[in-house]
Amino acid sequence: MSSMSVVAPISPPISPKLSPIPTRTIRFSRVPTQTRSKVRCSYAAAGNVSEDYSYGGPIDVVADVKAEKVVVLGGNGFVGSAICKAAVSKGIEVVSLSRSGQPSYSDSWVNQVTWVTGDVFFARWDELLVGATAVVSTLGGFGNEEQMKRINGEANILAVGVAKDFGVPKFILISVHDYNLPSFLLTSGYFTGKRKAESEVLSKYPSSGVVLRPGFIYGKRKVDGFEIPLDVIGEPLERFLSTIENFTKPLSSLPASDLLLAPPVSVDDLGLAVVNAVTDDDVFGVFTIEQIKEMAAKVKV
């Protein structure tokens, strides 16, 4: 008897019927504070059957949005008002403390600033610094030795200490360029006061304190209802010095050379540089004239 081999047909493997993975879309609006939102979920199920489920229960949504509030010391002055204006233009809440209070002119941004009349030595800091994320000091001036030490040094040092005690995370000081002056010329109350204030900022705020050192600051300065157009001198001088910068660099090491060669800074650029320092947590330390201009360029529209 001959043998026969029977081969059974092999059925093709059966592929399981897989349903598409459900997809879910969650839509909600980004908000600056904790809020409750209704979520609508859409699922694509097998068999092209669409089912929508609405969940009306509350959920907590916390968006990472930082609200800035800046307290400007001397906000009614030439530099201070430019800082207030720049901060307002970027949506920052601004409070100004100055002995003269609100300025007499009526520019559109003025009404968006909270103007507090007072002296830094007698300020009600517990009210002034509520919610502040930065303090900016433009305090400074000339006079006899004692007056200059007090306003350039002691007033700023007091403000730094108070801001630190109240937990304000950043302090920004408007200081001054040294113009490559010989050391014996930097012993006046003006320069020694500024440098002591700088040391206090960098000591109390090692990773967030900012010191800006501009030279001659130009712009339209308003004094007693009159406008002094410092930009008529400062703007063309800035352009001229920028043009010849490559030729004047070798002279920069000469004593007092920067009295002639340090480029002026627009008060508007200084204001924008402060805004950059307020809003950028990576900005801290001492900044020169050129660095101030670079900071301003980052936030210019």
Side-chain angles (χ1 to χ4, degrees), residues 17 34 40 56 84 95 156 161 182 185 197 207-208 232 245 251 290 294:
K17 186 176 181 180
Q34 190 178 69
R40 184 175 182 82
C84 292
V95 176
N156 282 310
L185 292 177
S207 60
S208 63
V232 172
E245 182 181 9
L251 304 175
E290 289 306 317
E294 291 170 3

Side-chain angles (χ1 to χ4, degrees), residues 117-230:
T117 303
D119 189 301
V120 67
F121 289 103
F122 308 103
R124 302 186 66 171
W125 296 105
D126 56 335
E127 299 176 2
L128 197 64
L129 297 179
V130 173
T133 56
V135 172
V136 182
S137 177
T138 69
L139 300 177
F142 295 95
N144 61 41
E145 280 295 298
E146 290 305 313
Q147 289 172 332
M148 289 191 291
K149 287 179 180 178
R150 182 171 172 80
I151 188 62
N152 296 289
E154 296 170 16
N156 282 310
I157 290 171
L158 170 67
V160 174
V162 172
K164 185 65 176 180
D165 291 343
F166 276 87
V168 180
K170 177 165 281 196
F171 197 101
I172 302 166
L173 174 70
I174 308 301
S175 189
V176 63
H177 184 59
D178 62 14
Y179 295 98
N180 289 344
L181 293 174
S183 58
F184 70 89
L185 292 177
L186 296 173
T187 57
S188 72
Y190 182 81
F191 283 104
T192 57
K194 288 287 190 181
R195 294 301 179 254
K196 285 181 179 179
E198 289 183 7
S199 297
E200 191 72 3
V201 171
L202 300 175
S203 173
K204 290 284 200 306
Y205 290 89
S207 60
S208 63
V210 176
V211 173
L212 303 181
R213 289 181 174 177
F216 171 59
I217 304 171
Y218 70 85
K220 290 181 169 56
R221 185 166 194 161
K222 297 179 180 180
V223 180
D224 297 329
F226 295 96
E227 192 171 80
I228 304 174
L230 297 176

Side-chain angles (χ1 to χ4, degrees), residues 250-272:
L251 304 175
S252 60
S253 60
L254 297 177
S257 59
D258 277 357
L259 287 173
L260 295 174
L261 301 179
V265 176
S266 162
V267 72
D268 294 330
D269 280 350
L270 186 55
L272 291 172

Side-chain angles (χ1 to χ4, degrees), residues 20 24 55 173 195 200 238 271 275 285:
R24 182 176 64 177
Y55 173 62
L173 174 70
R195 294 301 179 254
E200 191 72 3
E238 181 183 16
V275 169

